[in-house]
Amino acid sequence: MTATLTTVLQGIALTFAGVLAVGTVLVRDPLRQVVVFSLFGLSLVIVFALLMAPDVAIAEVAVSSIGVPMVLLPVIYKTHSGGKG
């Protein structure tokens, strides 16, 4: 890849990550917020991969795209949708 194409891709990925970060804050429904946060995490994976930081990208996949949603979804279920038990 040329340096110009790499710079353009990095700019697009960072812009997309910024939009999703703001979207995560603005969404008020907890379930939808977890989904947007997961997408934000995936966008950060793309950013880190474009910035040549594969170890950080792998950690980001594990934490924000898999780990945090798997912890938050049962909590949201128990507190909001009537997990009576």
Side-chain angles (χ1 to χ4, degrees):
M1 263 195 277
T2 64
T4 306
L5 180 61
T6 303
T7 304
V8 169
L9 287 175
Q10 287 173 353
I12 291 169
L14 284 170
T15 303
F16 188 61
V19 168
L20 284 172
V22 172
T24 301
V25 173
L26 294 178
V27 172
R28 292 292 171 210
D29 180 41
L31 184 59
R32 290 184 180 155
Q33 195 171 32
V34 169
V35 171
V36 175
F37 177 74
S38 182
L39 292 174
F40 169 63
L42 287 175
S43 71
L44 286 180
V45 169
I46 294 169
V47 168
F48 291 137
L50 287 172
L51 292 174
M52 305 296 178
D55 52 341
V56 180
I58 292 169
E60 185 68 26
V61 166
V63 172
S64 71
S65 297
I66 298 170
V68 172
M70 288 302 189
V71 169
L72 291 178
L73 288 175
V75 172
I76 292 171
Y77 174 74
K78 283 286 196 180
T79 58
H80 287 269
S81 68
K84 316 236 189 302

